[in-house]
Amino acid sequence: MAALAGVILVFICGAVCYTIGMRFFFRKTTIWITQTTEYALLWIVFLGTTWLLRDGGHITTDIIYSHLSDKARRRLDIIMFVVGAVACMAMVYFGIDMFASVSRGT
């Protein structure tokens, strides 16, 4: 995931340099570069976050967590995973609902 995010970042740099060159030398710009780089930046965040979470490098608040026993930490981890899963399921549900309502034209 991190390698793919890096490839996307190289693409963004190349695309921005291309559009700057086109604007400078030919006085014409490419319209699709701005929208493409906006979405690409979003995907870099998503891809980088999955890699970071897998390696356990994400930011954590240790104020309470460090004072808990191993058993309490595992329970808290499970609770947080369940909360995250419920939030993801809610976003999927509302996304599908929004897609369905747009498709129906309502």
Side-chain angles (χ1 to χ4, degrees):
M1 297 299 166
L4 184 57
V7 168
I8 293 172
L9 186 60
V10 168
F11 167 76
I12 290 172
C13 291
V16 169
C17 289
Y18 169 77
T19 193
I20 289 171
M22 289 295 290
R23 192 177 315 137
F24 183 76
F25 291 115
F26 301 109
R27 304 278 188 243
K28 294 186 180 189
T29 187
T30 313
I31 337 173
W32 57 269
I33 299 268
T34 303
Q35 289 84 9
T36 304
T37 55
E38 288 173 356
Y39 284 112
L41 285 170
L42 181 65
W43 277 103
I44 287 174
V45 172
F46 287 148
L47 294 170
T49 302
T50 56
W51 170 71
L52 193 63
L53 283 172
R54 185 195 67 197
D55 288 348
H58 203 273
I59 297 172
T60 59
T61 306
D62 291 346
I63 295 171
I64 298 172
Y65 197 75
S66 62
H67 296 297
L68 296 175
S69 66
D70 287 339
K71 187 176 180 180
R73 285 182 190 172
R74 281 192 296 267
R75 286 182 182 168
L76 183 59
D77 285 341
I78 290 170
I79 290 170
M80 294 311 297
F81 290 143
V82 168
V83 168
V86 168
C88 288
M89 285 188 276
M91 285 190 279
V92 168
Y93 171 77
F94 288 116
I96 290 171
D97 185 47
M98 178 65 70
F99 178 77
S101 66
V102 169
S103 296
R104 288 189 304 259
T106 56

Coordinates of all heavy atoms in Angstrom, one line a residue, residues 39-97:
Y39 N -8.2 13.8 -6.1 CA -8.6 12.5 -5.7 C -7.4 11.6 -5.4 O -7.4 10.7 -4.5 CB -9.4 11.8 -6.8 CG -10.8 12.3 -6.9 CD1 -11.3 13.1 -7.9 CD2 -11.7 12.0 -5.9 CE1 -12.6 13.6 -8.0 CE2 -13.0 12.5 -5.9 CZ -13.4 13.2 -7.0 OH -14.7 13.7 -7.0
A40 N -6.3 11.8 -6.1 CA -5.1 11.1 -5.8 C -4.5 11.4 -4.4 O -4.1 10.5 -3.7 CB -4.0 11.4 -6.9
L41 N -4.6 12.6 -4.0 CA -4.2 13.0 -2.7 C -5.0 12.2 -1.6 O -4.5 11.8 -0.6 CB -4.2 14.5 -2.4 CG -3.1 15.3 -3.1 CD1 -3.4 16.8 -3.0 CD2 -1.8 15.0 -2.5
L42 N -6.3 12.1 -1.9 CA -7.2 11.4 -1.0 C -6.8 9.9 -0.9 O -6.7 9.3 0.2 CB -8.6 11.6 -1.4 CG -9.7 10.9 -0.6 CD1 -9.8 11.5 0.8 CD2 -11.0 11.0 -1.3
W43 N -6.5 9.3 -2.0 CA -6.1 7.9 -2.1 C -4.8 7.7 -1.4 O -4.5 6.6 -0.8 CB -6.1 7.4 -3.5 CG -7.5 7.0 -3.9 CD1 -8.4 7.7 -4.7 CD2 -8.2 5.8 -3.4 NE1 -9.6 7.0 -4.7 CE2 -9.5 5.9 -4.0 CE3 -7.9 4.8 -2.6 CZ2 -10.5 4.9 -3.7 CZ3 -8.9 3.8 -2.3 CH2 -10.1 3.9 -2.9
I44 N -3.9 8.6 -1.5 CA -2.6 8.5 -0.8 C -2.8 8.4 0.7 O -2.2 7.6 1.4 CB -1.7 9.7 -1.1 CG1 -1.1 9.6 -2.5 CG2 -0.5 9.8 -0.1 CD1 -0.3 10.8 -2.9
V45 N -3.8 9.2 1.2 CA -4.1 9.1 2.7 C -4.7 7.8 3.0 O -4.3 7.1 4.0 CB -5.1 10.2 3.1 CG1 -5.6 10.1 4.5 CG2 -4.4 11.6 2.9
F46 N -5.6 7.3 2.2 CA -6.2 6.0 2.5 C -5.2 4.8 2.4 O -5.1 4.0 3.3 CB -7.3 5.7 1.5 CG -8.6 6.5 1.7 CD1 -9.4 6.8 0.7 CD2 -9.0 6.9 3.0 CE1 -10.5 7.6 0.9 CE2 -10.1 7.6 3.2 CZ -10.9 8.0 2.1
L47 N -4.4 4.8 1.4 CA -3.4 3.8 1.3 C -2.3 3.8 2.4 O -1.9 2.8 2.9 CB -2.7 3.8 -0.1 CG -3.7 3.5 -1.3 CD1 -3.0 3.9 -2.6 CD2 -4.1 2.1 -1.2
G48 N -1.8 5.0 2.7 CA -0.8 5.2 3.7 C -1.4 4.8 5.1 O -0.6 4.2 5.9
T49 N -2.6 5.1 5.3 CA -3.2 4.8 6.6 C -3.3 3.3 6.8 O -3.0 2.8 7.9 CB -4.6 5.4 6.8 OG1 -4.5 6.9 6.6 CG2 -5.2 5.2 8.1
T50 N -3.7 2.6 5.8 CA -3.8 1.1 6.0 C -2.4 0.5 6.3 O -2.3 -0.4 7.1 CB -4.4 0.4 4.7 OG1 -3.6 0.8 3.6 CG2 -5.8 0.9 4.5
W51 N -1.4 1.0 5.6 CA -0.1 0.5 5.9 C 0.4 0.8 7.3 O 1.0 0.0 8.0 CB 0.9 1.0 4.8 CG 2.3 0.8 5.1 CD1 3.0 -0.4 5.0 CD2 3.3 1.7 5.5 NE1 4.3 -0.2 5.4 CE2 4.5 1.1 5.7 CE3 3.2 3.1 5.8 CZ2 5.7 1.7 6.1 CZ3 4.4 3.7 6.2 CH2 5.6 3.0 6.3
L52 N 0.1 2.0 7.7 CA 0.5 2.5 9.0 C -0.3 1.7 10.1 O 0.3 1.3 11.1 CB 0.2 4.0 9.1 CG 0.8 4.7 10.3 CD1 2.3 4.7 10.2 CD2 0.3 6.2 10.3
L53 N -1.5 1.5 9.9 CA -2.3 0.7 10.9 C -1.8 -0.7 11.0 O -1.7 -1.3 12.1 CB -3.8 0.7 10.6 CG -4.5 2.0 10.9 CD1 -5.9 2.0 10.3 CD2 -4.6 2.3 12.4
R54 N -1.4 -1.3 9.9 CA -0.9 -2.7 9.9 C 0.4 -2.8 10.7 O 0.6 -3.8 11.5 CB -0.7 -3.2 8.5 CG -0.3 -4.7 8.5 CD 0.3 -5.1 7.2 NE 1.6 -4.4 7.0 CZ 2.2 -4.3 5.9 NH1 1.7 -4.8 4.8 NH2 3.4 -3.7 5.8
D55 N 1.2 -1.8 10.6 CA 2.5 -1.8 11.3 C 2.4 -1.2 12.8 O 3.4 -1.2 13.5 CB 3.5 -1.0 10.6 CG 4.0 -1.7 9.3 OD1 3.7 -2.9 9.2 OD2 4.7 -1.1 8.5
G56 N 1.2 -0.8 13.2 CA 1.0 -0.3 14.5 C 1.6 1.1 14.7 O 2.0 1.4 15.9
G57 N 1.8 1.8 13.7 CA 2.4 3.1 13.8 C 1.5 4.3 13.9 O 1.9 5.4 13.9
H58 N 0.2 4.0 14.0 CA -0.7 5.1 14.1 C -0.7 5.8 15.4 O -0.3 5.2 16.4 CB -2.2 4.6 13.8 CG -3.1 5.6 13.4 ND1 -3.8 6.4 14.2 CD2 -3.5 6.0 12.1 CE1 -4.6 7.2 13.5 NE2 -4.4 7.0 12.2
I59 N -1.1 7.0 15.5 CA -1.0 7.8 16.7 C -2.0 7.2 17.7 O -3.2 7.0 17.3 CB -1.4 9.3 16.4 CG1 -0.4 9.9 15.5 CG2 -1.5 10.1 17.7 CD1 -0.7 11.3 15.0
T60 N -1.6 7.1 18.9 CA -2.5 6.6 20.0 C -2.3 7.5 21.2 O -1.3 8.1 21.4 CB -2.1 5.1 20.4 OG1 -0.7 5.1 20.9 CG2 -2.2 4.2 19.3
T61 N -3.4 7.5 21.9 CA -3.4 8.3 23.2 C -3.1 7.3 24.3 O -3.9 6.4 24.6 CB -4.7 9.0 23.4 OG1 -5.0 9.7 22.3 CG2 -4.7 9.9 24.6
D62 N -1.9 7.4 24.9 CA -1.5 6.5 25.9 C -1.8 6.9 27.4 O -1.3 6.2 28.3 CB 0.0 6.2 25.8 CG 0.3 5.5 24.5 OD1 -0.6 5.0 23.9 OD2 1.5 5.5 24.1
I63 N -2.5 8.0 27.6 CA -2.7 8.4 28.9 C -3.4 7.4 29.8 O -2.9 7.1 30.9 CB -3.5 9.8 28.9 CG1 -2.6 10.9 28.2 CG2 -3.8 10.2 30.3 CD1 -3.4 12.1 28.0
I64 N -4.5 6.9 29.3 CA -5.2 5.8 30.0 C -4.7 4.5 29.7 O -4.5 3.6 30.5 CB -6.7 6.0 29.7 CG1 -7.2 7.3 30.2 CG2 -7.5 4.8 30.3 CD1 -8.6 7.6 29.7
Y65 N -4.4 4.3 28.4 CA -4.0 2.9 27.9 C -2.8 2.4 28.6 O -2.7 1.2 28.9 CB -3.8 3.1 26.4 CG -3.8 1.8 25.6 CD1 -5.0 1.1 25.4 CD2 -2.6 1.2 25.2 CE1 -5.0 -0.1 24.6 CE2 -2.6 0.0 24.5 CZ -3.8 -0.6 24.2 OH -3.8 -1.8 23.5
S66 N -1.8 3.2 28.9 CA -0.6 2.7 29.5 C -0.8 2.3 31.0 O 0.0 1.5 31.5 CB 0.5 3.8 29.4 OG 0.1 4.9 30.1
H67 N -1.8 2.8 31.6 CA -2.1 2.4 33.0 C -3.0 1.2 33.2 O -3.3 0.8 34.3 CB -2.7 3.6 33.7 CG -1.8 4.8 33.8 ND1 -0.6 4.7 34.5 CD2 -1.9 6.0 33.3 CE1 0.0 5.9 34.4 NE2 -0.7 6.7 33.6
L68 N -3.4 0.6 32.1 CA -4.3 -0.5 32.1 C -3.5 -1.8 32.1 O -2.4 -1.9 31.7 CB -5.3 -0.5 30.9 CG -6.2 0.6 30.8 CD1 -7.0 0.5 29.5 CD2 -7.2 0.7 32.0
S69 N -4.2 -2.9 32.7 CA -3.6 -4.2 32.7 C -3.7 -4.8 31.3 O -4.4 -4.2 30.4 CB -4.3 -5.1 33.7 OG -5.6 -5.3 33.3
D70 N -3.0 -5.8 31.0 CA -3.1 -6.5 29.6 C -4.5 -6.9 29.3 O -4.9 -6.7 28.2 CB -2.1 -7.7 29.6 CG -0.7 -7.2 29.5 OD1 -0.4 -6.1 29.1 OD2 0.2 -8.1 29.9
K71 N -5.2 -7.4 30.3 CA -6.6 -7.9 30.0 C -7.5 -6.7 29.7 O -8.3 -6.8 28.8 CB -7.1 -8.6 31.3 CG -8.4 -9.3 31.1 CD -8.8 -10.1 32.3 CE -10.1 -10.8 32.1 NZ -10.5 -11.6 33.3
A72 N -7.3 -5.6 30.4 CA -8.1 -4.4 30.2 C -7.8 -3.8 28.8 O -8.6 -3.3 28.1 CB -7.9 -3.4 31.3
R73 N -6.5 -3.8 28.5 CA -6.1 -3.3 27.1 C -6.7 -4.1 26.0 O -7.2 -3.6 25.0 CB -4.6 -3.4 27.0 CG -3.8 -2.4 27.8 CD -2.3 -2.5 27.5 NE -1.6 -1.6 28.4 CZ -0.3 -1.6 28.5 NH1 0.4 -2.5 27.8 NH2 0.3 -0.8 29.4
R74 N -6.7 -5.4 26.2 CA -7.4 -6.3 25.1 C -8.9 -6.0 25.0 O -9.4 -5.9 23.9 CB -7.2 -7.8 25.5 CG -5.8 -8.2 25.1 CD -5.7 -9.8 25.1 NE -5.9 -10.3 26.4 CZ -4.9 -10.6 27.3 NH1 -3.7 -10.4 27.0 NH2 -5.2 -11.1 28.5
R75 N -9.5 -5.8 26.2 CA -11.0 -5.5 26.2 C -11.2 -4.1 25.5 O -12.1 -4.0 24.7 CB -11.5 -5.4 27.6 CG -11.7 -6.8 28.2 CD -12.3 -6.7 29.6 NE -12.4 -8.0 30.1 CZ -12.7 -8.2 31.4 NH1 -12.9 -7.2 32.2 NH2 -12.8 -9.4 31.9
L76 N -10.4 -3.1 25.8 CA -10.5 -1.8 25.2 C -10.2 -1.9 23.7 O -10.9 -1.2 22.9 CB -9.5 -0.8 25.9 CG -9.6 0.6 25.4 CD1 -11.0 1.2 25.6 CD2 -8.6 1.5 26.1
D77 N -9.2 -2.7 23.3 CA -9.0 -2.9 21.9 C -10.2 -3.5 21.2 O -10.6 -3.0 20.1 CB -7.8 -3.8 21.7 CG -6.4 -3.0 21.9 OD1 -6.4 -1.8 22.0 OD2 -5.4 -3.8 22.2
I78 N -10.8 -4.5 21.8 CA -12.0 -5.1 21.2 C -13.1 -4.1 21.0 O -13.8 -4.0 20.0 CB -12.4 -6.3 22.0 CG1 -11.3 -7.4 21.8 CG2 -13.8 -6.8 21.5 CD1 -11.5 -8.6 22.7
I79 N -13.3 -3.3 22.1 CA -14.4 -2.3 22.0 C -14.1 -1.3 20.9 O -15.0 -0.9 20.2 CB -14.5 -1.6 23.4 CG1 -15.1 -2.6 24.4 CG2 -15.4 -0.4 23.3 CD1 -15.0 -2.1 25.9
M80 N -12.9 -0.9 20.8 CA -12.6 0.1 19.8 C -12.7 -0.5 18.4 O -13.1 0.2 17.4 CB -11.2 0.7 20.0 CG -11.0 1.5 21.3 SD -12.3 2.7 21.5 CE -12.0 3.8 20.1
F81 N -12.3 -1.7 18.2 CA -12.5 -2.4 16.9 C -13.9 -2.5 16.5 O -14.3 -2.3 15.4 CB -11.8 -3.7 16.9 CG -10.3 -3.7 16.9 CD1 -9.6 -4.6 17.6 CD2 -9.6 -2.7 16.2 CE1 -8.2 -4.6 17.6 CE2 -8.2 -2.6 16.2 CZ -7.5 -3.6 16.9
V82 N -14.8 -2.8 17.5 CA -16.2 -2.9 17.3 C -16.8 -1.6 16.9 O -17.6 -1.5 16.0 CB -16.9 -3.6 18.5 CG1 -18.4 -3.4 18.4 CG2 -16.5 -5.0 18.7
V83 N -16.4 -0.5 17.6 CA -16.9 0.8 17.3 C -16.5 1.2 15.9 O -17.3 1.8 15.1 CB -16.4 1.8 18.4 CG1 -16.6 3.3 17.9 CG2 -17.0 1.6 19.7
G84 N -15.2 0.9 15.5 CA -14.7 1.2 14.2 C -15.5 0.5 13.1 O -15.8 1.0 12.1
A85 N -15.8 -0.8 13.4 CA -16.5 -1.6 12.5 C -17.9 -1.1 12.3 O -18.5 -1.0 11.2 CB -16.5 -3.1 12.9
V86 N -18.6 -0.7 13.4 CA -19.9 -0.2 13.3 C -19.9 1.1 12.5 O -20.8 1.4 11.7 CB -20.5 0.0 14.7 CG1 -21.8 0.8 14.7 CG2 -20.8 -1.3 15.4
A87 N -18.9 2.0 12.7 CA -18.9 3.2 12.0 C -18.7 3.0 10.5 O -19.3 3.6 9.6 CB -17.7 4.1 12.5
C88 N -17.8 2.0 10.2 CA -17.6 1.6 8.8 C -18.9 1.1 8.1 O -19.2 1.4 7.0 CB -16.5 0.6 8.6 SG -14.8 1.3 8.9
M89 N -19.6 0.2 8.9 CA -20.8 -0.3 8.3 C -21.9 0.8 8.1 O -22.6 0.7 7.1 CB -21.4 -1.4 9.3 CG -20.6 -2.7 9.2 SD -21.3 -4.0 10.1 CE -20.7 -3.7 11.7
A90 N -21.9 1.7 9.0 CA -22.9 2.8 8.9 C -22.5 3.7 7.6 O -23.4 4.0 6.9 CB -22.8 3.7 10.1
M91 N -21.3 3.9 7.4 CA -20.9 4.7 6.2 C -21.2 3.9 4.9 O -21.7 4.5 4.0 CB -19.4 5.0 6.3 CG -19.1 6.1 7.2 SD -17.4 6.7 7.1 CE -16.5 5.5 8.0
V92 N -21.0 2.6 5.0 CA -21.4 1.8 3.8 C -22.9 1.8 3.6 O -23.3 2.0 2.4 CB -20.8 0.3 3.9 CG1 -21.4 -0.6 2.9 CG2 -19.3 0.3 3.9
Y93 N -23.6 1.6 4.6 CA -25.1 1.6 4.5 C -25.6 3.0 3.9 O -26.4 3.0 3.0 CB -25.7 1.4 5.9 CG -27.2 1.6 5.9 CD1 -28.1 0.6 5.3 CD2 -27.8 2.8 6.4 CE1 -29.4 0.8 5.3 CE2 -29.2 3.0 6.3 CZ -30.0 2.0 5.8 OH -31.3 2.2 5.7
F94 N -25.1 4.1 4.5 CA -25.6 5.4 4.0 C -25.1 5.7 2.7 O -25.8 6.4 1.9 CB -25.2 6.5 5.0 CG -26.0 6.5 6.3 CD1 -25.4 6.2 7.5 CD2 -27.4 6.6 6.3 CE1 -26.2 6.2 8.7 CE2 -28.2 6.6 7.4 CZ -27.5 6.3 8.6
G95 N -23.9 5.2 2.3 CA -23.4 5.4 1.0 C -24.2 4.6 -0.1 O -24.6 5.2 -1.1
I96 N -24.6 3.4 0.3 CA -25.4 2.6 -0.6 C -26.8 3.2 -0.7 O -27.4 3.3 -1.8 CB -25.5 1.1 -0.2 CG1 -24.2 0.5 -0.4 CG2 -26.6 0.4 -0.9 CD1 -24.0 -0.9 0.2
D97 N -27.3 3.7 0.4 CA -28.7 4.3 0.4 C -28.6 5.6 -0.5 O -29.5 5.9 -1.3 CB -29.1 4.7 1.8 CG -30.5 5.2 1.9 OD1 -31.4 4.7 1.2 OD2 -30.7 6.3 2.6

